[in-house]
Amino acid sequence: MQNFLMDLIAVTGVNFFLRRRRKYRYLIAAAGAASLLGLILLLLVKDVLIYALLTHFFLNTGMVLAGFGIRGGKRAFLENWAATYLAVILLGGLTGWLTGSGLIPNGFLPAALAATAGLYGLLLYLMRRRSFGNHIYAVQLKKDTRQLEIKGYWDSGNQLKDPYTGQSVNILSHTKAKEFLDETKDKIRLVPYRSLGEREGLLRVTDVDELVICDGKHNVQIAHASVGIADPGLLEPKEYDMILHASVL
């Protein structure tokens, strides 16, 4: 039962993280068959080395084939096999450590659930961080002789348009705006906006001569770009200084 649970958690995790979209009945059947065959091998095979080879290479390979099939070719199969094997090893090691260390004193099941929550929670966090980081770009703002280099976050949810000019509005942090803009001579206009879960308001907006987004090997250059000035404290804690409009990339 323990082997069945660990195998099922492993293949379910692989199915989720690699987006294989296999139906759960195949995964449950594969984990159940692998656990049953593992029990038979444990009872019949007396040589420890042979038992380990049969379990780690043949039995796990069969479980992956039964659970995920051969869709996607050799590469997809190798990914499924490696991810399943790694998940089984890590989950088993974490569960054993939690049980043996006394951190989870109530037996195997609570330790297994805690190990699953810890490992898969970390993977979800890392995936989110990677996806988030892929949307951060080096940005240059140019106006007259002034130039500012910042980090911009491309936000598909930023759909704000200036109703007077029709331009897309990129939102700059209050601190960087004070550093770069001169509100005594830069023309400021008020643009109405409405954010999710917030009431309507007015955003101070001005134009810059050029906004340059460094996207890998090429740059995206936007002339006469509109830049909104965020309220104090809105972007200061963030890892970026500007929210880019959805249309700029």
Side-chain angles (χ1 to χ4, degrees):
M1 290 303 297
Q2 289 181 5
N3 285 342
F4 168 70
L5 180 61
M6 298 304 289
D7 288 343
L8 181 60
I9 291 173
V11 293
T12 302
V14 172
N15 192 50
F16 173 78
F17 286 104
L18 296 186
R19 296 182 174 89
R20 296 312 189 202
R21 298 181 181 179
R22 291 289 284 176
K23 293 181 179 179
Y24 285 106
R25 64 172 179 266
Y26 296 114
L27 303 180
I28 294 171
S35 300
L36 180 60
L37 290 173
L39 176 60
I40 294 173
L41 288 176
L42 181 65
L43 296 174
L44 297 180
V45 179
K46 303 303 180 182
D47 189 288
V48 176
L49 179 60
I50 295 176
Y51 170 76
L53 289 173
L54 290 174
T55 301
H56 287 282
F57 292 99
F58 293 97
L59 196 59
N60 283 349
T61 301
M63 181 176 68
V64 172
L65 280 172
F68 298 101
I70 56 174
R71 291 189 301 179
K74 184 187 297 183
R75 179 178 177 180
F77 168 74
L78 290 175
E79 288 179 348
N80 294 337
W81 183 88
T84 301
Y85 189 80
L86 185 61
V88 169
I89 295 297
L90 290 176
L91 288 170
L94 282 172
T95 302
W97 177 74
L98 289 171
T99 304
S101 64
L103 292 175
I104 307 292
N106 296 324
F108 167 79
L109 184 58
L113 294 177
T116 303
L119 179 61
Y120 289 172
L122 177 61
L123 288 175
L124 282 172
Y125 172 78
L126 293 175
M127 288 175 64
R128 180 181 177 276
R129 293 289 297 176
R130 180 183 177 188
S131 176
F132 177 80
N134 287 342
H135 291 165
I136 294 181
Y137 300 89
V139 175
Q140 291 181 341
L141 295 177
K142 300 178 182 179
K143 188 173 181 67
D144 302 329
T145 59
R146 290 168 279 169
Q147 183 169 314
L148 179 69
E149 295 186 358
I150 55 175
K151 290 182 179 180
Y153 174 62
W154 179 76
D155 184 2
S156 60
N158 180 14
Q159 304 286 340
L160 180 60
K161 293 267 189 180
D162 186 335
Y164 310 116
T165 65
Q167 292 176 301
S168 304
V169 178
N170 306 277
I171 304 172
L172 182 64
S173 75
H174 187 268
T175 300
K176 293 297 182 180
K178 287 183 65 177
E179 178 183 333
F180 178 67
L181 298 174
D182 185 351
E183 297 192 32
T184 60
K185 65 178 183 179
D186 293 332
K187 294 181 179 179
I188 304 291
R189 58 187 181 274
L190 297 177
V191 171
Y193 75 94
R194 184 176 184 178
S195 60
L196 184 64
E198 299 288 341
R199 62 183 182 181
E200 296 179 354
L202 293 173
L203 181 69
R204 293 182 299 158
V205 175
T206 188
D207 294 329
V208 297
D209 295 335
E210 189 176 32
L211 184 149
V212 182
I213 305 168
C214 303
D215 181 14
K217 296 181 180 180
H218 68 281
N219 294 337
V220 177
Q221 297 175 306
I222 304 171
H224 308 296
S226 291
V227 173
I229 304 173
D231 291 334
L234 180 64
L235 296 182
E236 276 70 18
K238 306 293 185 182
E239 300 176 33
Y240 49 88
D241 309 297
M242 171 174 275
I243 299 176
L244 299 170
H245 193 271
S247 65
V248 299
L249 294 176

